[in-house]
Amino acid sequence: MLTKGGCPKTALSIKDALEALEGRWKLLILFSLSAENKRFKEISREVTGITDKTLSKELKSLESNQLIKRTVYDTFPPTVEYSITEHGKSLEKVLEELHYWGLLHRQKILTAF
């Protein structure tokens, strides 16, 4: 449990996490890759609403944060596949809790009207 009043070290770790996962797409991309490795277009189809340009940018950011791995196969044309790393898999509980919170939030908001 987080302490009341906040701790500077806790605030820093939360800031680091938010910077690694900022934006509306990164967690959805990680969720897409959690089941199996995928190619760019497969991710693009699963993460509805994302543009190819944004997907490319987000994949590079996730790779630089070591949450996903990009593998290029020596084929013609080259095949590129993305996979979630062990470090990325460590977010499984975060995704699960976010899922449950999202369900509760949606229910609360929809019943408020």
Side-chain angles (χ1 to χ4, degrees):
M1 186 79 183
L2 297 177
T3 59
K4 290 184 180 178
C7 167
K9 287 184 181 179
T10 301
L12 180 61
S13 63
I14 291 172
K15 181 178 180 258
D16 290 344
L18 289 173
E19 285 179 4
L21 300 170
E22 70 181 330
R24 67 188 276 196
W25 303 111
K26 288 186 180 82
L27 290 173
L28 293 170
I29 294 167
L30 288 171
F31 180 72
S32 171
L33 291 171
S34 65
E36 63 184 347
N37 301 350
K38 294 190 172 86
R39 295 174 67 180
F40 185 93
K41 281 296 178 188
E42 292 172 307
I43 300 168
S44 180
R45 278 191 297 271
E46 271 192 26
V47 181
T48 56
I50 192 168
T51 64
D52 285 354
K53 181 180 176 181
T54 300
L55 177 57
S56 179
K57 182 178 90 75
E58 298 291 47
L59 288 168
K60 286 176 186 171
S61 176
L62 288 166
E63 185 180 13
S64 72
N65 281 293
Q66 300 178 17
L67 298 170
I68 65 167
K69 180 181 176 191
R70 180 179 186 266
T71 305
V72 180
Y73 295 98
D74 190 21
T75 59
F76 185 79
T79 303
V80 179
E81 191 174 74
Y82 296 90
S83 59
I84 193 166
T85 64
E86 286 302 313
H87 186 48
K89 288 178 185 176
S90 70
L91 288 163
E92 181 179 358
K93 288 181 184 175
V94 173
L95 288 170
E96 188 175 316
E97 288 299 320
L98 194 58
H99 162 69
Y100 290 126
W101 186 86
L103 289 173
L104 291 172
H105 178 67
R106 176 177 288 274
Q107 183 179 25
K108 182 173 184 68
I109 297 302
L110 290 177
T111 58
F113 292 102

